[in-house]
Every structure is written in structure tokens, then in C-alpha cells.
Amino acid sequence: HPSFESFVYVSPIMQKVGERARAVGTTDASVLVLGETGTGKELLARAIHAAGPRARKPFIPINCGALPRELVESELFGFRRGAFTGAYADAPGIFASASGGTVFLDEIGEMPREVQVKLLRVLQEGELRPVGGAKLVQVDVRVISATNRPPAELRSACLREDLYYRIATVTIELPPLRSRMEDVLVLAQHFTTRLARRYGRKITLARSALELLLNYSFPGNVRELENILEGCAAVIPDDPQVIADKDVKPLLSQPVPIVSALSDQSLSMEELERLAVQRALRVSQGNRTKAASLLGISRDTLYRKLKQFGL
């Protein structure tokens, strides 16, 4: 189950996100997750669901932008047999199927206006009317929504104002990866370790590759970093495999890496790693198992680093 443990970070900005998400997890409040594509909005929604009273009930994600307009309503609220051509049997729809659990509405800004009125009714009254149905159906679900649009645009151009305030009882913003470059280091190590486990061989990142990644702007965020490393691991079957800058470079979606905030401070890789380890220990309040999981490394590796840095 994705939980907050599946988030690997040492940056103070992500620590705040984690604290806010954990706090809202134990409640039943509607949450709106803001963030660019690839920042991990669904992962955060799943973690919030898993931390709360509905954890044992279904979590059903739906991408409002991927559904044809005419199908959104019947997908969400279900339909009765004969409601339209091809409706040969009753179908419950996502809200009824998720009863007791959580519905995750990704790209909420793409939801057609006429469906928004019905969604508002679900949130206010806990009831819906299936397409072609005469009777109201009671449902009990928590709604977590997500968008990659700025909140002002969402409120003015995409959503009814009353619906916006209803879904955004709590808003949590996931920062883009380029604004938390210290997490690139720990995420890169975490993904490399995971790939090594998956492929059953030793995979490490050369310093040259890490330095290239630390100077890159990641328009596709965490997902892009994961895809880059997976792309490197998948095409080179060496064991042990060392991913170098020449392997990474062709996979970057923007040709010239921008200069990152880190290079201004001209921190060496050593200092950067030391900083990451110190921060992880601070975030985990000295709990080493938790610190290792934040860093995406094993406990043994953490002990080795503590010794290396004299911490």
C-alpha cells in the first residue's frame, strides 16, 4: 500500500507537505492536491487514504480529462438499464463502487459543468441519481481531487465556485522537483536501488550522472527522473552496471541542463550527501530506520554514511 513511507525526500519544503498530508489523512475532509504533472499527486492521494479511517475500503482513481464528455456522468454516477443505447444492464458507477472509501478525481478542472452540479450534490447530501434512474442512491465517500492548473484559474475558468470551495476544504501543493534539488540526490539513489532489486543485479549511479541530474530542470518532475533511470537500466544489461552521464544525456527532454540552485552554493557531492543524511535524521527525529527509508537507502548503507561523515 502506498503510504507516506513511499515518499522519499529530505527537503524542508516536502517535510511541510508530509506533515500537512498526515494531519489531513486522519480526517474526512475533502482535499485538493495541486501540482505539475509528474509530481506524485495520485501517490499522495493514496497515502492520505491509507492513513485515514477509510483505509480498508476502496480507493478508486478516475482521470476526468481522459473520459469522453458524454461518459463522465455515467462513469461516476452509474446508469440504469435502457438509459441509453448499449445500456443493457444496471451499472453502479464509481461513487457507488467506492462506498465507504475514497474517490480520487484527477484533473478535476476537465469535469464538464453539467456533471459538476451532480458532484456537488454528492458532496453536500451524500446522494446521487444514476443516469436514467428515478430513485436517489445514498453514498458515503471521501473525495480527493487533483489538478495541474493554478487554483485561481481552476476557480474562475473551470469549476463552479460552490464546487471549488467544497472540494478544496484543504489544499496541499506538491512542489516541482526543480524547486527541491536536494531531493534529486536521494530520489536518484532510491530509484537506482529499486531498479537493482527489480533486475536482480548491481546498479549504481556514477558521480558524473548525478551531477548532470543535479543541474537539470526536470520539466516532467519525479516521474521524469524515474523514467530516465529506468531507461538507462533497461538498455544496459551489464552486471554490475554503472549509469554514467553519457547514458543519461540522450534521455533528457531538454537539451541543455539549466544551472541548478545547488551549483550556486557550489556544494560538492560529498557535502550534498552529508546535508541529505543530516536532514533525514532531523526529519525522522533521529530514528535511523525512518531516516534510511526517507533517503531511499538500506540501514546498512546509512550506517556506512554516518561513519563516513562522522555523524
Side-chain angles (χ1 to χ4, degrees):
H1 286 304
S3 64
F4 294 113
E5 304 310 311
S6 40
F7 279 87
V8 173
Y9 60 85
V10 290
S11 59
I13 190 171
M14 275 303 286
Q15 194 182 341
K16 285 201 179 71
V17 169
E19 284 162 6
R20 193 170 165 82
R22 273 193 179 84
V24 78
T26 56
T27 72
D28 224 11
S30 298
V31 182
L32 174 63
V33 184
L34 307 166
E36 293 179 7
T37 303
T39 44
K41 297 188 290 292
E42 183 173 334
L43 192 63
L44 186 67
R46 285 181 185 273
I48 292 170
H49 167 75
R54 298 175 178 267
R56 298 187 176 285
K57 296 283 199 240
F59 173 95
I60 304 187
I62 183 146
N63 184 326
C64 304
L67 283 177
R69 284 183 80 85
E70 59 280 6
L71 288 184
V72 177
E73 193 177 345
S74 53
E75 274 288 320
L76 290 176
F77 309 121
F79 55 82
R80 293 288 172 252
R81 184 181 160 191
F84 47 83
T85 316
Y88 298 121
D90 291 1
I94 279 163
F95 274 91
S97 304
S99 201
T102 302
V103 171
F104 174 60
L105 299 170
D106 200 2
E107 291 190 38
I108 181 93
E110 308 302 316
M111 183 176 280
R113 289 262 168 178
E114 58 278 14
V115 181
Q116 292 181 23
V117 184
K118 293 191 86 161
L119 176 59
L120 190 61
R121 178 166 199 125
V122 175
L123 290 167
Q124 279 173 340
E125 318 292 339
E127 57 187 28
L128 57 85
R129 192 190 302 277
V131 178
K135 285 211 294 282
L136 288 168
V137 177
Q138 295 295 313
V139 286
D140 163 35
V141 288
R142 175 185 204 167
V143 172
I144 301 179
S145 315
T147 183
N148 50 21
R149 297 170 183 260
E153 182 192 325
L154 190 68
R155 202 165 60 225
S156 60
C158 313
L159 295 183
R160 295 168 51 106
E161 197 153 359
D162 48 5
L163 178 63
Y164 175 83
Y165 287 116
R166 202 79 207 195
I167 61 163
T169 309
V170 177
T171 58
I172 298 178
E173 187 161 0
L174 272 172
L177 190 52
R178 63 185 168 277
S179 71
R180 50 184 187 107
M181 292 306 282
E182 58 266 70
D183 290 338
V184 172
L185 177 75
V186 291
L187 281 162
Q189 289 172 334
H190 167 69
F191 290 138
T192 310
T193 309
R194 212 162 70 181
L195 286 163
R197 264 207 308 273
R198 187 192 311 165
Y199 290 121
R201 52 187 159 89
K202 196 167 160 55
I203 303 175
T204 50
L205 268 171
R207 176 162 298 236
S208 63
L210 262 173
E211 280 175 351
L212 185 61
L213 292 171
L214 287 167
N215 284 303
Y216 180 60
S217 63
F218 292 103
N221 293 298
V222 181
R223 192 182 303 147
E224 184 179 12
L225 173 59
E226 187 175 9
N227 290 345
I228 287 168
L229 294 172
E230 199 157 330
C232 293
V235 295
I236 308 167
D238 299 352
D239 187 5
Q241 175 190 358
V242 180
I243 298 173
D245 54 346
K246 65 172 177 25
D247 308 316
V248 170
K249 207 159 197 161
L251 300 176
L252 303 181
S253 61
Q254 292 180 345
V256 187
I258 60 156
V259 175
S260 80
L262 287 171
S263 354
D264 310 344
Q265 307 161 11
S266 64
L267 283 172
S268 70
M269 287 295 298
E270 237 65 67
E271 292 168 312
L272 192 63
E273 276 196 293
R274 188 194 163 96
L275 181 74
V277 171
Q278 283 174 318
R279 278 211 178 131
L281 284 168
R282 200 160 64 232
V283 172
S284 63
Q285 292 163 339
N287 178 330
R288 292 175 176 195
T289 309
K290 208 165 150 199
S293 120
L294 281 174
L295 291 161
I297 57 178
S298 69
R299 270 184 59 166
D300 295 348
T301 310
L302 177 65
Y303 285 122
R304 211 166 53 243
K305 300 235 182 253
L306 290 174
K307 216 165 150 177
Q308 181 190 340
F309 300 131
L311 295 169

